[in-house]
Amino acid sequence: MVILSFSAAFLITVFATKTHPCLTQYCKSVLWVTVIALLYNLVCRGYPLWYHPRWWLMTDKFSQLVQIFVLLPCTTLLFLRNMPHRPLVKIMYGFGFLAVYGLYEALLCLTHEIVYCHGWSFGWSMLLDACMFFVMWLHNENWRISIGLSGLIMSLFLAWFHVPWDT
């Protein structure tokens, strides 16, 4: 329920703030974030670091798809469209989005809509979210560097959590 509510809230916010026309401007970054999320699902399909237990009609796969195709694109659009120009304000802005995602994750934990596996935890999710917001910003600024950095970050996470390549 939290996943659907949060995704719907972000989707409504995108339309209410008239951010949706900016999709053409930020399309490459939206697609990059989506590709990274899909890569996680492909690489970790037999060794998930987290999953969403079944809730009524919501299966783990459906929950992931809602997040990948609704929540993450909406987040990327809102995050990039309203990015401030001053460096210190940008950092505070990023921490604001990280706090919103922290609240989202905390609600998932409290409602038991997320289960962590293989050493993953709330703290690791916050670190991953911080990396995600940085990569969103970096991809919008310089996509070439963001691709290399994304590969490095993904490799470090996969190695740290011993994700096997044969699953």
Side-chain angles (χ1 to χ4, degrees), residues 78-80 82-84 88-97:
L78 290 168
F79 183 71
L80 293 176
N82 300 304
M83 180 64 68
L88 186 58
V89 181
K90 277 184 188 178
I91 293 168
M92 298 302 290
Y93 179 75
F95 278 121
F97 264 84

Side-chain angles (χ1 to χ4, degrees), residues 1-4 6 50-53 63 67 71 101-116 122:
M1 186 64 176
V2 173
I3 294 167
L4 286 178
F6 208 75
W50 66 85
Y51 71 91
H52 304 284
S63 297
Q67 290 178 89
L71 181 59
Y101 260 66
L103 176 65
Y104 170 58
E105 188 96 13
L107 287 171
L108 287 174
C109 291
L110 288 172
T111 58
H112 307 288
E113 288 188 43
I114 192 166
V115 175
Y116 300 124
F122 180 83

Side-chain angles (χ1 to χ4, degrees), residues 66-91:
V66 167
Q67 290 178 89
I68 291 168
F69 292 108
V70 178
L71 181 59
L72 290 176
C74 289
T75 299
T76 306
L77 280 175
L78 290 168
F79 183 71
L80 293 176
R81 177 173 188 245
N82 300 304
M83 180 64 68
H85 296 290
R86 294 187 5 229
L88 186 58
V89 181
K90 277 184 188 178
I91 293 168

Side-chain angles (χ1 to χ4, degrees), residues 114-135:
I114 192 166
V115 175
Y116 300 124
C117 311
H118 308 291
W120 195 261
S121 65
F122 180 83
W124 284 111
S125 284
M126 291 294 89
L127 179 61
L128 181 65
D129 289 343
C131 291
M132 176 185 74
F133 286 116
F134 181 71
V135 165

